[in-house]
Amino acid sequence: FVIFQNNLFRTLILRVHYMQIIDSSRLQNENPKSFLASLKFTDRWLEGKITNFEYLMCLNILSGRSFNDSSQYPIFPWILSDYDSKILNLNKHSTFRDLSKPMGAINQERLNELLEKWNKIKENETNSYLYENCYSNLFIVYYYLIRLEPFTTQQIELNSGKFDDSSIVFKSIKEAYQNATSLPNDFRELIPEFFYFPDFLKNINKFDLGKNEDDTDVNDVILPPWANNSPIEFIYLHRKALESDFVSSHLNEWIDLIWGFKQDGDEAVKAHNVFRPEFYETIWKRPNINEKGIKAVQSNAGQIPLKLFETKHPEKKVRIRTFYHKSS
């Protein structure tokens, strides 16, 4: 994983492309939007030839997200709102998060407070915004993966040689969702591990993560009742929910917010999806910018992924089926 200064990579990639020892079919040096269209990823998803998980990974990689860079880690959505039931019912709309809204707009009371603050700022500032923090940044990645190396060490180094206070350590799925839908500056989405990797939910390395309010040790992540205290069952059911008919038929709405026509401009304003201007790729096109300051903001507070769609993303048509999970 190599980071080049300025635009040196544009010169280098062209030269690599013509090296005889390199398999040029493995290089992608065209515009991501054109590349996405040429490979017909969207058509393949609409036809059911690739899963929701695979399609989201395609969009992440093509928009510049990478497992090698925690400040640009792949983004996945919160898809459920039910973290209390003993039985997960994927046939109830209330089980799911509203994918047409950004996390900051899920809670109407919080949104009203943010809008009131934004309207006051807009009177005096042209570069005003609704959300101070991005839905993905390195702090969010370290928060979720605190129990796994190398993220444990990276978080400790970032936090002056110690763990975060136990009050803000990732302790519970339900608590994390409540925070992301209620706290003034928490709008985080998820990472791919929530759908395939149960190990990050267990404190297998026995790190000292502090104490809970009842003076017990912070240990494994507390799971919803429907997961039966099993990280494997949580991942299985969470992935089942991701591939459910409800999510399949509404995933296009979330894609519009993250990679599509509601990412910026007037449509973003209508959708309450406006973040700090430094988070967007378009910030580099502005005159007289503070390059060092922008890089610092993007490295820590987050970056909006590259925009891949200029118009409304097509909806996947599904045949509604019923699925119930009965706890054992």
Side-chain angles (χ1 to χ4, degrees), residues 4-20:
F4 294 98
Q5 296 295 323
N6 302 318
N7 289 319
L8 178 60
F9 77 94
R10 298 186 186 278
T11 301
L12 181 63
I13 198 67
L14 289 175
R15 294 181 179 178
V16 171
H17 187 75
Y18 290 108
M19 292 181 180
Q20 294 183 355

Side-chain angles (χ1 to χ4, degrees), residues 84-280:
D84 293 307
S85 299
K86 292 183 178 180
I87 298 174
L88 185 64
N89 184 350
L90 298 184
N91 198 44
K92 284 175 57 179
H93 287 190
S94 60
T95 298
F96 298 91
R97 165 257 181 108
D98 187 344
L99 289 165
S100 69
K101 297 178 180 180
M103 286 302 291
I106 296 290
N107 182 328
Q108 188 62 47
E109 182 179 353
R110 178 176 70 170
L111 177 61
N112 290 339
E113 294 174 356
L114 291 168
L115 287 170
E116 182 179 356
K117 180 181 178 181
W118 188 28
N119 288 329
K120 291 180 180 177
I121 296 175
K122 280 195 295 186
E123 296 176 0
N124 302 313
E125 296 185 22
T126 56
N127 290 327
S128 59
Y129 47 85
L130 190 57
Y131 306 123
E132 175 76 20
N133 293 320
C134 192
Y135 41 73
S136 174
N137 58 46
L138 61 84
F139 291 100
I140 292 172
V141 175
Y142 295 164
Y143 169 81
Y144 287 137
L145 300 179
I146 185 64
R147 292 165 176 80
L148 290 179
E149 292 287 14
F151 303 98
T152 309
T153 298
Q154 291 172 339
Q155 195 272 350
I156 291 173
E157 291 175 350
L158 199 65
N159 201 43
S160 303
K162 62 182 184 301
F163 283 112
D164 272 331
D165 186 274
S166 61
S167 63
I168 56 176
V169 168
F170 179 37
K171 298 190 289 288
S172 159
I173 303 287
K174 176 183 176 180
E175 180 184 75
Y177 181 76
Q178 289 176 333
N179 290 343
T181 54
S182 62
L183 295 183
N185 288 309
D186 188 345
F187 316 109
R188 70 190 68 197
E189 293 279 9
L190 299 183
I191 55 177
E193 282 81 352
F194 273 82
F195 301 94
Y196 75 88
F197 193 58
D199 296 46
F200 86 100
L201 298 168
K202 300 190 69 175
N203 187 16
I204 56 177
N205 294 307
K206 303 302 179 184
F207 292 123
D208 182 0
L209 301 174
K211 298 286 186 179
N212 293 303
E213 292 182 0
D214 60 1
D215 204 38
T216 59
D217 291 334
V218 175
N219 198 20
D220 297 344
V221 176
I222 300 172
L223 304 174
W226 45 259
N228 295 312
N229 295 317
S230 168
I232 293 176
E233 189 158 3
F234 171 82
I235 294 296
Y236 168 75
L237 292 173
H238 205 216
R239 180 67 170 266
K240 193 87 172 180
L242 178 64
E243 304 299 339
S244 68
D245 290 338
F246 181 90
V247 173
S248 295
S249 61
H250 292 277
L251 190 57
N252 60 295
E253 297 173 325
W254 188 76
I255 292 172
D256 285 337
L257 296 169
I258 307 300
W259 291 286
F261 79 113
K262 292 183 180 180
Q263 187 192 86
D264 54 16
D266 292 339
E267 292 297 332
V269 174
K270 294 177 186 176
H272 303 128
N273 195 39
V274 181
F275 294 83
R276 289 181 62 170
E278 293 93 340
F279 295 165
Y280 296 86

